[in-house]
Each structure stands twice: as structure tokens, then as C-alpha cells.
Amino acid sequence: MSKTPTEPQRIALNGPTMGTRWSALFYAPPGYDPGALAIALQDAVAEIDDQMSTWKPDSALMRFNTAPVGDWVVLPAHLLRVLELGLRIGRASGGAFDIGMGDAVRAWGFGPEAASAEAIRSALTRARPPAHEVLDLAPERGEVRKRAPLSLDLNGIAKGYGVDRLAEVMLDHGITAALVGIDGEMRALGLRPDGAPWSVAVEAPDPARRAPHSILALEDAAVATSGDYRHWVELGSQRLSHTMQPRRGAPVQGGPASVSVVARSCAEADAWATALMVLGPEEGARVARREGLDALFLLRDPDTEVRVGPLFGAVDT
């Protein structure tokens, strides 16, 4: 009589979302049918994209962007959570992370439209109070209002939140050990079947090729990387990063090549990676230590890096 296989089967799922792809890797008992789970995962990230996309004119975010100043607007729960987290990290980072950069993102060509010289001049010269100073949230009513003209953009946090939603769906389906991600933003649940942590590569900031700089071992943690080597626009002879410097209304210049952050949730890691890119290695490392973050700053010199936190082997004093 043949034996029934007992070894867990490795299952890898993926699908389109937010202009890229989501992924989920886990192990299940022999014969497990992942069909319902795959549908639930796709539905979860589609919901986030439908609420938070700046490329969809009818998204909840874009409807709020066009709402009059002073009007309370009812928004869906996931969008409210992301706004609340974005404002909290905006305050904690001293405005380095600012969800109110939608006009600048579009002006420099990182939205649906091409870069516009007139829009760039406006982004550079307009008074720009940070979003955490002019956006009011009433979570108990599910409402938000802006007290000054404001265009929200969540590209620095929405993918991370989407990864967290993937993790929540896995847990809802009884899967407590998995690795999920969107476009390199990753979150690990539990351990692999052999008791080892999940291995996640930190990419070397090289626009010409994809290669790992280092490998992280993650258990119940998330990692996100912000850099200038994958998403940019060229204006004349300049290659400009998609990360915006809120105080200038323009792309970050002279910053690190990339910053990777490990945090409890992927939304937090995503937002903090953006904030630390803006702050730079010196101020960013100080803020990362204060916030208890593990962070890796990779600088232009391939042999130069700044490490914060024990996960990256830093010995902080």
C-alpha cells in the first residue's frame, strides 16, 4: 500500500495590483486547494487600489482631493487608517513624510500626466503646510476634512498597507506562516516549516541590474525599501527621484541611494523608509534610533553605508 504524502506543499500565489504584482508564499498540507485564498488576496489588494490610487479618477482618495476645503467627507475604513498612520508618521518625522505632496508628484511627472514646467514652478513656490497641520480626521464618524488646499498622494505608504492586508487575509484563512509582498515590500508571518526565519533580500541600489546587497532573516516583521534607482523621470540631463522633499516641493537631491526599514507593519516600514530618504543618513539615523527602527542607509559610494538597529548588525551607543 502506498503511503499518503505528509510533507507540506510549497504554494506560491501572485497577481496584478498597483501597477506591479503581489505575491504570497506559504506551505500547506498535501491536497490544499488555494483557489479561494487566491481570490481573497486579489480582492483585498484591489480594494486598496480602488480606494487609494491617484491613477483612478474615481478612487476614494481622488474624490476627496477634489472636495471643497472645509467640507467633511465620508471615507472608507482602510483609507482612514492609512491617513491616520500617515499623519502620525508625518508628525514624528518632522514633516519629512508628508501625504500632502500630490501636486508636486504630478508636477514632476510621477503621476498620470507628463512633467509640466508651469506645474513645477507652482509646486516650488506655493506655501505648503504639512498635511498633519491641515487635515482633520474624525474616525468615529468616518469623516475627513482639509482646512487648506491639499492634494493627497499615498504612494509612500499604500503598497505597504496593501502588504499588511495580504497578511491579514492569510491569517483569516488560518495560515500563520507565510511571506507576502508587493513590489519588494515584504512582510513575514511566523517561521518556515523547518523553524527557520523567512529570507528576504535587500536589493543593491544598481539601476542596471537586480542583485542582492544583503539577506534579512524575518519573523513576524516587515521590510520596505525606498530608493532612487528604480523609479525616476528624466528632465533634460537630470535623472530625478520619485521621492519628494516636502519643504522644496521637488525631488530629493543628494540623498542616500536607498533606505531599507524593518518595522512591525509594512505600512510603517514603507512610510519610514520614505521619511528617512528625505532626512538623509545623519538626521535619518538619529530619528530611526529615537523611533526604535532597524534601518539600512546605502550611500552613493558602494562601500559606504549607515546601519541602525540590531537586525542590521549595528551597535548603537
Side-chain angles (χ1 to χ4, degrees), residues 27 176-179 188-198 217-220:
Y27 292 81
T176 58
L179 183 66
L189 297 175
L191 297 168
R192 296 167 60 95
D194 61 1
W198 298 92
L218 292 185
E219 175 188 0
D220 292 320

Side-chain angles (χ1 to χ4, degrees), residues 4-17:
T4 302
T6 58
E7 289 294 317
Q9 60 174 327
R10 180 183 185 274
I11 298 178
L13 304 173
N14 68 85
T17 189

Side-chain angles (χ1 to χ4, degrees), residues 54 61 64-65 82-83 85-91 93 95-107 122-124 126-135 137 146 148-157 244-250 274:
T54 55
L61 180 70
F64 177 72
N65 278 343
V82 170
L83 294 181
L85 178 61
L87 296 182
R88 178 167 66 78
I89 294 178
R91 293 187 192 94
S93 66
F97 181 75
D98 190 350
I99 59 175
M101 296 298 295
D103 66 303
V105 170
R106 290 192 305 275
S122 175
L124 290 171
R126 64 167 289 186
R128 190 182 299 281
H132 62 264
E133 291 184 359
V134 296
L135 196 64
L137 272 61
K146 48 195 171 186
L150 186 67
S151 178
L152 299 179
D153 182 280
L154 301 176
N155 285 331
I157 192 171
M244 291 289 141
Q245 165 55 267
R247 291 190 181 92
R248 295 177 56 239
T274 300

Side-chain angles (χ1 to χ4, degrees), residues 138-164:
E140 71 284 356
R141 302 199 311 268
E143 293 182 339
V144 181
R145 71 173 176 184
K146 48 195 171 186
R147 287 181 279 106
L150 186 67
S151 178
L152 299 179
D153 182 280
L154 301 176
N155 285 331
I157 192 171
K159 283 182 182 176
Y161 187 79
V163 174
D164 292 331

